[in-house]
Amino acid sequence: MEHLDAIVIGMGPGGETVTDRLLSAGRRVAVVERELIGGECGYWACIPTKVLLRPPEVRAEAVGAAGVDDPSLDWPALRAYRDQMIRHLDDAKQVEGYRERGALVLRGEARVVGRDPWRVAIGDTEHTADHVVVATGAGVLVPSIDGLDDLGPDVLWTNREATTLTEIPESALVVGGSAVGVELGQFLARMGSRVTIVQRGPRLLDREDPRLCELVGEQFDRDGITVHLDSQVTSVARQGEGVAAILSGGERVRAEVLVLATGREPRGDQLGLAELGVELDGKALPVDEHCRVVPGLWAAGDVTARAMFTHVAKYQGRVISANILGNGQVADYTAVPRVVFAYPEIAAVGLTAEQARAQGMDVATAETDLTAALARPWTMETDPSGTLGLVADREHGVLVGAWAFGPLASEWIHTAALAIRMGLPIGALRDTIPQFPTFNEGYLIALEALDV
């Protein structure tokens, strides 16, 4: 049994961030991974999804640009590049890299079997450590649908089957209209599938500003995607080589594949921590402002159920490593960007107007049609898009929320993210000098329209 400075369980982005920083500081670290170093994000989620989305996006940009022919999509070439980017589901180089840096790499399911000191078992092997970092992520939240258990992985897809697909299905029924459902639904539609999305809420992306959701819905109409709102799939059954589904409104939908995009649930209950007196919040590990569960036990990423995004997992990893190394840091989740990499891109940060009012703020809002106010959309496309919305706190004269719909919104939403996080006065923001011509100029137009 070896004693280590830290044992990191789960090597997705959060676990890798902690490990990299502790190794760089000369600490002795063991990493435990039951699947692939890089985690869900690197192999079955963020990376393959964005790789798959890019060619249809480029095609749409080309069609919209003056003087460019409509390029064809080469699915075999795209598939091959996707496989390259997910390393053909092989993490041998990552394992070798960590071992060369001095990490002890352990494969298998981990269980925490003791504390004071912390003791972790992987199979018949046990190690102790001053610190244990849990970054085990989340698994697919499977809805209760009659007949779902009778479907096999050839017709029932989670994000894993969808992002590693080898052939584009003729039709797809996507269950869920959040970020995953929107991205995968639009990708399949733009690759030629007939797509139906069933969303239990009143809007796609219904946690965002209603106006932003409306713009997304209008885009999906243009894409030929059928959307059923305030609806659920009540039952499914095999039908030939596909799936037949019945919706709560009585509609019947047939598709070649059924794609679950119904959310994810933390994997904090699979390590034996409850038996050691560690209190869980359902399946999540509740953390304090230092990302600490209890002394010596830390958690990062989806397992904490705090803003379940890769960038938050990496941020929490930075906070944890700083605290382990004695450089006390407090996690601040103000202004976490939320991006859906559809086309056009969908981005938001901070509070919606409704959320701000619920907190008792005197709210001012502004919405700017960037195509009417700026040159940049027109230099980019002949039939451009672009809308920016701002939410402000009148009393304090600061932004508290923003949303954007347009090309590269994932990049220019960060102007609002920085302003909200730092509490920059609206007066100071109005006095900035944005580059011409950029989408970022839209902030000046929208800020001047705010009644603040």
Side-chain angles (χ1 to χ4, degrees):
M1 182 185 296
E2 182 178 357
H3 184 78
L4 302 118
D5 294 310
I7 299 174
V8 179
I9 305 173
M11 285 295 283
E16 286 202 278
T17 299
V18 174
T19 301
D20 288 342
R21 292 183 173 231
L22 294 183
L23 288 174
S24 295
R27 299 300 193 267
R28 178 64 171 149
V29 181
V31 302
V32 186
E33 176 53 57
R34 67 178 189 173
E35 291 187 298
L36 297 171
I37 289 178
E40 198 80 17
C41 173
Y43 298 95
W44 301 286
C46 313
I47 297 302
T49 301
K50 278 50 179 180
V51 169
L52 292 171
L53 286 164
R54 181 57 180 152
E57 178 183 59
V58 170
R59 184 182 189 184
E61 290 175 346
V63 170
V68 180
D69 288 336
D70 184 354
S72 62
L73 292 170
D74 185 342
W75 169 238
L78 171 53
R79 183 176 59 201
Y81 185 63
R82 184 272 319 274
D83 291 344
Q84 176 186 328
M85 286 296 293
I86 63 173
R87 307 165 188 149
H88 299 278
L89 301 181
D90 180 0
D91 66 350
K93 288 186 178 180
Q94 283 62 45
V95 171
E96 180 184 0
Y98 279 114
R99 284 176 174 159
E100 287 177 350
R101 295 179 63 191
L104 178 62
V105 180
L106 303 169
R107 291 286 199 188
E109 297 277 355
R111 285 190 67 79
V112 184
V113 295
R115 55 191 295 184
D116 303 321
W118 293 101
R119 196 165 81 252
V120 177
I122 306 94
D124 297 329
T125 303
E126 289 189 11
H127 296 282
T128 59
D130 295 329
H131 302 276
V132 170
V133 180
V134 179
T136 48
V140 174
L141 179 62
V142 179
S144 177
I145 298 174
D146 187 33
L148 197 65
D149 293 341
D150 299 327
L151 302 181
D154 59 327
V155 296
L156 177 61
W157 289 3
T158 66
N159 64 290
R160 292 198 170 196
E161 289 80 16
T163 56
T164 56
L165 80 171
T166 57
E167 300 297 335
I168 303 297
E170 290 184 4
S171 55
L173 172 58
V174 180
V175 185
S178 60
V180 173
V182 166
E183 289 184 352
L184 291 176
Q186 192 183 57
F187 163 72
L188 291 170
R190 295 200 164 203
M191 293 300 294
S193 292
R194 186 177 69 258
V195 174
T196 301
I197 295 180
V198 178
Q199 163 71 330
R200 67 183 304 169
R203 301 178 297 273
L204 295 171
L205 304 175
D206 59 1
R207 295 183 182 180
E208 300 297 348
D209 187 279
R211 175 63 178 140
L212 177 58
C213 301
E214 181 183 347
L215 292 170
V216 176
E218 291 172 356
Q219 178 61 50
F220 272 33
D221 284 343
R222 290 190 289 271
D223 289 333
I225 298 171
T226 299
V227 179
H228 294 272
L229 300 174
D230 288 318
S231 180
Q232 298 183 58
V233 177
T234 57
S235 67
V236 293
R238 293 288 304 233
Q239 187 177 84
E241 296 183 357
V243 180
I246 299 177
L247 309 188
S248 52
E251 303 93 338
R252 295 176 180 269
V253 179
R254 190 193 178 284
E256 191 173 327
V257 295
L258 178 73
V259 184
L260 294 182
T262 45
R264 301 183 69 80
E265 57 183 359
R267 291 196 188 107
D269 60 334
Q270 302 176 8
L271 300 170
L273 289 168
E275 289 89 328
L276 298 177
V278 176
E279 221 174 291
L280 275 65
D281 182 5
K283 296 184 178 183
L285 289 178
V287 293
D288 66 11
E289 67 273 19
H290 302 288
C291 297
R292 179 175 49 210
V293 183
V294 295
L297 180 66
W298 314 79
D302 288 1
V303 74
T304 69
R306 291 278 188 97
M308 295 165 73
F309 302 112
T310 293
H311 42 296
V312 171
K314 295 171 74 172
Y315 171 66
Q316 290 175 320
R318 301 200 307 269
V319 171
I320 290 169
S321 54
N323 283 300
I324 289 176
L325 295 172
N327 306 317
Q329 185 174 343
V330 171
D332 179 358
Y333 301 99
T334 304
V336 174
R338 307 181 297 275
V339 176
V340 182
F341 288 85
Y343 185 83
E345 288 185 350
I346 304 155
V349 65
L351 304 174
T352 65
E354 182 181 358
Q355 290 167 340
R357 292 188 183 100
Q359 293 185 19
M361 295 183 194
D362 181 9
V363 172
T365 64
E367 179 184 326
T368 298
D369 178 355
L370 303 181
T371 68
L374 304 181
R376 179 54 177 152
W378 293 95
T379 64
M380 192 167 191
E381 297 179 285
T382 57
D383 184 18
S385 62
T387 309
L388 172 65
L390 299 180
V391 181
D393 176 352
R394 271 200 189 90
E395 180 182 357
H396 297 97
V398 295
L399 291 182
V400 294
W403 56 265
F405 182 77
L408 303 176
S410 60
E411 305 293 339
W412 43 277
I413 195 65
H414 286 86
T415 294
L418 182 60
I420 294 168
R421 187 171 183 85
M422 302 308 297
L424 299 177
I426 287 174
L429 293 172
R430 285 171 174 157
D431 195 39
T432 58
I433 308 172
Q435 171 68 42
F436 174 87
T438 62
F439 283 97
N440 218 58
E441 286 184 282
Y443 283 102
L444 190 57
I445 308 298
L447 287 162
E448 289 177 345
L450 276 175
D451 180 20
V452 176

